[in-house]
């Protein structure tokens, strides 16, 4: 008798079948396999600061362990942490958010997921500017809602206008996603641009999900914030933010959503039957981050990102067929590679899409980039510059080599 266990196909849910895996995490998984095999890969893939978590925050995490702050907390986080987040929001927006208007989540990704689950139904439409973060569309689908994508390009600095929104607005329009600074483009909406979007929102009964996870990674003095421009729309706004980018706390998994109490309670109800709350140790560390002056640490990180941004934009624009805008925030560039598509590259390979191009450069020169198709923007690709300047320089050098024309015989 064989001791092999019979493998029978398991029927998957339609919900699962209609969702695509995260392109950025898929690329990083392959890069991890290549590195494990000894290949010298340089990855411009996952957006994760390469700086350590600030020392006071790390010490608070250890303190939580040593003091046995390791038990369940209330759903949606401790009251102390929610009060601290509320105080931060008061400083940023001038508006008061009580603890009952905030839920702390396992990263900003869960905050968005809960918002879609709690506030969208089948038939609802969610307006999503493209390029978009890879998880927006899949989370919308998981909520049985319908994504309505508005393509943008370098001609509009990857931003939408009120006219573009009006063109897709219907009685089924339920949510508009605003992401500024943007992942993947790094673009930041101006005060005037947000005022225009607010006028559109006032005449349409839509909810605004404002994803502000990169709000402290900025290369300009001012940050026009949605609720500063449109405080009268606070009753229709869900603010999404977290600790991952500002404090280099990606693995600690602390995000939050803030908004009308009825919406937050609905999100917390779903949360109570899924994750309940983030780890108590992470919450204690996050509380330290919100109640300690870490401006110097953040400024040091942003200054390094600025130097890297300036170098990589100039270098990419020197590659024939590549055009790259200068981002105002986050730590990504989103260059247009359409000029290298459809023509022979160094070894005679022709790539017709950036998906093919990403495979080509990973195979040929061991450089990982995320293709624009994943962000709803064919012809472009995302490169994170959250890695050392030396690695950026080597990686772009390899990229330039791979994109060069074949040598003439």
């Amino acid at each position: 008798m064989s001791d092999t266990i019979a493998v029978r196909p398991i029927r998957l849910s339609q919900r699962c079948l209609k969702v695509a895996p995260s392109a950025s995490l898929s690329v990083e998984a392959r890069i991890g396999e290549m590195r494990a095999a000894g290949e010298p890969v340089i990855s411009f893939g996952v957006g994760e600061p390469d700086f350590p978590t600030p020392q006071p925050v790390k010490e608070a995490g250890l303190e939580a362990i040593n003091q046995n702050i390791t038990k369940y907390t209330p759903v949606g986080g401790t009251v102390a942490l929610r009060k601290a987040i509320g105080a931060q929001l008061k400083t940023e927006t001038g508006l008061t958010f009580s603890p009952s208007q905030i839920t702390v989540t396992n990263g900003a990704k869960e905050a968005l997921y809960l918002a879609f689950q709690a506030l969208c139904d089948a038939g609802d439409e969610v307006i999503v500017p493209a390029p978009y973060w890879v998880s927006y569309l899949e989370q919308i689908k998981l909520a049985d809602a319908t994504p309505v994508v508005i393509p943008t390009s370098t001609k509009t600095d990857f931003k939408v206008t009120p006219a573009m929104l009006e063109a897709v607005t219907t009685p089924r329009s339920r949510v508009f996603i605003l992401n500024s600074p943007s992942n993947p483009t790094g673009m930041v909406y101006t005060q005037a641009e947000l005022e225009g979007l607010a006028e559109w929102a006032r005449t349409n009964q839509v909810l605004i999900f404002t994803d502000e996870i990169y709000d402290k990674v900025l290369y300009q003095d001012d940050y026009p914030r949605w609720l500063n421009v449109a405080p009268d729309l606070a009753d229709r706004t869900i603010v999404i933010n977290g600790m991952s980018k500002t404090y280099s706390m990606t693995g600690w998994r602390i995000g939050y959503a803030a908004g009308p109490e009825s919406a937050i309670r609905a999100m917390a109800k779903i949360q109570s039957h899924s994750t309940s709350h983030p780890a108590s140790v992470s919450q204690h560390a996050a509380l330290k981050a919100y109640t300690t002056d870490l401006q110097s640490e953040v400024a040091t990180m942003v200054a390094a990102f600025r130097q890297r941004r300036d170098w990589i934009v100039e270098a990419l624009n020197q590659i024939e067929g590549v055009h790259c805008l200068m981002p105002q925030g986050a730590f990504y560039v989103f260059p247009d590679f359409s000029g290298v598509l459809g023509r022979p590259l160094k070894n005679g390979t022709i790539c017709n899409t950036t998906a093919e191009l990403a495979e080509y450069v990973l195979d040929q020169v061991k450089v990982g980039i995320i293709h624009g198709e994943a962000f709803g923007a064919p012809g472009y690709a995302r490169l994170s510059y959250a890695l050392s300047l030396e690695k950026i320089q080597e990686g772009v050098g390899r990229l330039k080599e791979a994109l060069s024309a074949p040598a003439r015989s």
Side-chain angles (χ1 to χ4, degrees), residues 96-149:
T96 299
F97 288 83
S98 67
S100 61
Q101 291 179 278
I102 298 166
T103 190
V104 184
T105 57
N106 287 276
K109 183 179 286 189
E110 188 191 20
L112 278 160
Y113 177 82
L114 292 170
F116 287 123
Q117 289 292 319
L119 300 172
C120 291
D121 280 318
D124 286 340
E125 295 177 348
V126 180
I127 301 173
V128 188
Y132 45 71
W133 178 52
V134 294
S135 290
Y136 287 152
L137 257 61
E138 310 312 320
Q139 291 194 359
I140 293 165
K141 295 173 189 174
L142 283 168
D144 291 326
T146 302
V148 177
V149 176

Side-chain angles (χ1 to χ4, degrees), residues 71-109:
K71 306 299 183 181
Y72 292 136
T73 77
V75 172
T78 64
V79 173
L81 179 53
R82 284 181 280 149
K83 283 184 175 179
I85 293 170
Q88 175 95 351
L89 286 166
K90 177 74 172 179
T91 299
E92 293 171 347
T93 69
L95 302 175
T96 299
F97 288 83
S98 67
S100 61
Q101 291 179 278
I102 298 166
T103 190
V104 184
T105 57
N106 287 276
K109 183 179 286 189

Side-chain angles (χ1 to χ4, degrees), residues 128-192:
V128 188
Y132 45 71
W133 178 52
V134 294
S135 290
Y136 287 152
L137 257 61
E138 310 312 320
Q139 291 194 359
I140 293 165
K141 295 173 189 174
L142 283 168
D144 291 326
T146 302
V148 177
V149 176
I150 304 179
T152 67
S153 69
T154 54
K155 294 178 181 178
T156 62
D157 288 340
F158 298 120
K159 301 175 191 177
V160 294
T161 64
M164 295 165 74
L165 289 169
E166 285 289 356
V168 301
T169 304
T170 74
R172 295 181 299 280
S173 299
R174 174 66 172 163
V175 174
F176 167 58
I177 298 178
L178 176 64
N179 180 209
S180 176
S182 162
N183 174 6
T185 68
M187 292 297 122
V188 177
Y189 281 84
T190 67
Q191 175 91 8

Side-chain angles (χ1 to χ4, degrees), residues 53 57 72 112 145 170 263 265 287 316 355:
T53 300
V57 179
Y72 292 136
L112 278 160
T170 74
R265 286 191 181 278
L287 179 61
L316 287 169

Side-chain angles (χ1 to χ4, degrees), residues 35-46:
R35 284 174 172 163
E39 299 189 60
V41 182
I42 292 178
S43 174
F44 291 102
V46 168

Side-chain angles (χ1 to χ4, degrees), residues 140-394:
I140 293 165
K141 295 173 189 174
L142 283 168
D144 291 326
T146 302
V148 177
V149 176
I150 304 179
T152 67
S153 69
T154 54
K155 294 178 181 178
T156 62
D157 288 340
F158 298 120
K159 301 175 191 177
V160 294
T161 64
M164 295 165 74
L165 289 169
E166 285 289 356
V168 301
T169 304
T170 74
R172 295 181 299 280
S173 299
R174 174 66 172 163
V175 174
F176 167 58
I177 298 178
L178 176 64
N179 180 209
S180 176
S182 162
N183 174 6
T185 68
M187 292 297 122
V188 177
Y189 281 84
T190 67
Q191 175 91 8
E193 288 166 342
L194 288 181
E195 287 172 353
L197 300 185
E199 285 303 308
W200 165 81
R202 292 185 183 106
T203 59
N204 295 279
Q205 291 301 308
V206 297
L207 302 174
I208 310 297
F209 290 2
T210 175
D211 181 351
E212 300 177 0
I213 191 68
Y214 295 95
D215 64 344
K216 301 297 190 299
V217 185
L218 288 166
Y219 312 110
Q220 56 189 43
D221 293 333
D222 64 319
Y223 172 51
R225 198 180 293 272
W226 172 253
L227 285 180
N228 293 140
V229 172
D232 56 307
L233 296 176
D235 62 340
R236 288 198 270 134
T237 295
I238 305 293
V239 178
I240 306 292
N241 211 325
M243 316 294 291
S244 295
K245 315 303 180 181
T246 300
Y247 302 110
S248 196
M249 292 177 66
T250 53
W252 297 79
R253 306 313 298 139
I254 295 290
Y256 70 81
E261 184 171 343
S262 59
I264 298 301
R265 286 191 181 278
M267 293 168 63
K269 181 167 64 173
I270 298 171
Q271 190 177 9
S272 73
H273 293 294
S274 54
T275 61
S276 295
H277 59 77
S280 58
V281 171
S282 294
Q283 289 188 58
H284 193 71
L287 179 61
K288 186 70 172 180
Y290 277 121
T291 55
T292 305
D293 185 359
L294 298 175
Q295 291 186 42
S296 176
E297 288 88 340
V298 175
T300 297
M301 181 177 69
V302 172
F305 284 150
R306 181 195 295 271
Q307 180 189 20
R308 300 170 189 179
R309 175 203 65 161
D310 292 349
W311 189 92
I312 196 171
V313 169
E314 182 178 357
L316 287 169
N317 280 322
Q318 290 176 358
I319 299 176
E320 183 181 356
V322 178
H323 173 61
C324 185
L325 292 181
M326 180 70 77
Q328 294 111 21
F331 36 72
Y332 309 106
V333 284
F334 201 65
D336 181 355
F337 284 94
S338 59
V340 303
L341 300 180
R343 67 169 171 81
L345 301 177
K346 183 177 181 181
N347 66 353
T349 297
I350 295 176
C351 298
N352 294 309
T353 67
T354 42
E356 293 176 2
L357 187 70
E359 289 286 336
Y360 165 76
V361 297
L362 186 55
D363 291 336
Q364 294 296 313
V365 294
K366 315 304 179 192
V367 170
I369 63 177
I370 311 296
H371 58 79
E373 285 84 350
F375 305 98
Y380 297 86
R382 191 190 79 174
L383 285 74
S384 167
Y385 48 89
L387 60 162
S388 72
L389 183 58
E390 292 74 20
K391 286 191 177 297
I392 292 171
Q393 291 170 337
E394 181 180 350

